[in-house]
Amino acid sequence: MAKKTILSAENISVGFKVRSSELRAIRNVSLELKEQETLAIVGESGSGKSVLTKTFTGMLESNGAITGGTIRYQDKILSDLKKDSEWDGIRGKEIATIFQDPMTSLNPIKTIGSQISEVIIKHQKKSPKEAKQMAIDLMNRTGIPYAEKRYDDYPFQYSGGMRQRIVIAIALACRPKILICDEP
């Protein structure tokens, strides 16, 4: 039985407005992701890998836009979505991203545990008590020692590798259908 395509990009082009002109960052890229499949996008630094994956979650910088092509996720045409509110049911919940630099992903004034719990409450509709228990479980599963005791720690109290594990736990807390790992 053939696996179902869950994400496809057909002839995607992305441009950025820079001063008075447009910089074309991506030209006519196509790909298909099937259920249960791992897909690697490989290229030189600066070739547009991260820019391409940001189009799958509507996270291009404000001066960037999809200038051509179509992105489909299941029955939705993602390339037509323009407002953050249109991405609410998709970003994080259906398609999650683990970013390369955890310090830009974590809020420095919120505890590690609260950041994981917040995602669980939002996307899984769990109570705060249930979310805390699930967050501690995710911390344990991603290799955070003494997770229950470390739940109320802040990002600055963790090493870079430990912060990366927390970002992974946050992405997994969403239970996404697609997990994008930027520079895994």
Side-chain angles (χ1 to χ4, degrees):
M1 184 168 119
K3 290 185 179 180
K4 179 181 167 189
T5 298
I6 58 172
L7 179 77
S8 68
E10 299 166 19
N11 295 315
I12 294 299
S13 294
V14 176
F16 290 90
K17 292 202 185 299
V18 181
R19 296 182 191 92
S20 61
S21 61
E22 181 180 279
L23 170 69
R24 290 190 53 187
I26 296 177
R27 295 177 188 95
N28 303 316
V29 173
S30 298
L31 60 84
E32 272 191 354
L33 178 66
K34 307 249 185 218
E35 289 179 328
Q36 305 291 312
E37 183 177 64
T38 299
L39 174 67
I41 300 171
V42 181
E44 294 178 23
S45 181
S47 64
K49 301 177 301 291
S50 295
V51 169
L52 178 64
T53 60
K54 285 180 180 182
T55 65
F56 305 147
T57 55
M59 294 180 69
L60 286 173
E61 285 73 16
S62 60
N63 66 329
I66 296 171
T67 58
T70 304
I71 300 171
R72 286 185 176 83
Y73 169 69
Q74 296 180 342
D75 61 342
K76 298 173 183 78
I77 299 181
L78 301 182
S79 45
D80 288 347
L81 305 180
K82 304 297 180 210
K83 299 177 188 166
D84 272 346
S85 60
E86 295 174 311
W87 286 96
D88 279 350
I90 298 164
R91 186 185 299 138
K93 183 177 171 96
E94 298 287 325
I95 304 173
T97 303
I98 300 171
F99 292 102
Q100 184 176 358
D101 180 11
M103 278 310 281
T104 60
S105 302
L106 296 172
N107 185 332
I109 61 171
K110 285 185 158 184
T111 66
I112 291 293
S114 70
Q115 292 183 64
I116 302 170
S117 291
E118 180 178 53
V119 170
I120 294 167
I121 291 166
K122 178 180 180 181
H123 293 293
Q124 295 187 42
K125 310 294 186 219
K126 300 291 183 181
S127 72
K129 185 177 179 181
E130 290 172 308
K132 180 176 181 176
Q133 213 39 58
M134 291 173 78
I136 290 167
D137 179 57
L138 282 164
M139 290 171 71
N140 278 316
R141 289 176 39 207
T142 55
I144 303 296
Y146 313 108
E148 194 162 351
K149 292 179 184 175
R150 308 237 24 217
Y151 180 88
D152 291 320
D153 287 352
Y154 289 86
F156 74 87
Q157 294 174 281
Y158 283 46
S159 68
M162 297 285 269
R163 287 190 295 257
Q164 189 67 51
R165 292 174 189 194
I166 294 302
V167 173
I168 292 168
I170 290 170
L172 294 175
C174 298
R175 294 187 176 162
K177 304 279 188 291
I178 297 173
L179 182 61
I180 298 170
C181 302
D182 190 10
E183 299 281 342

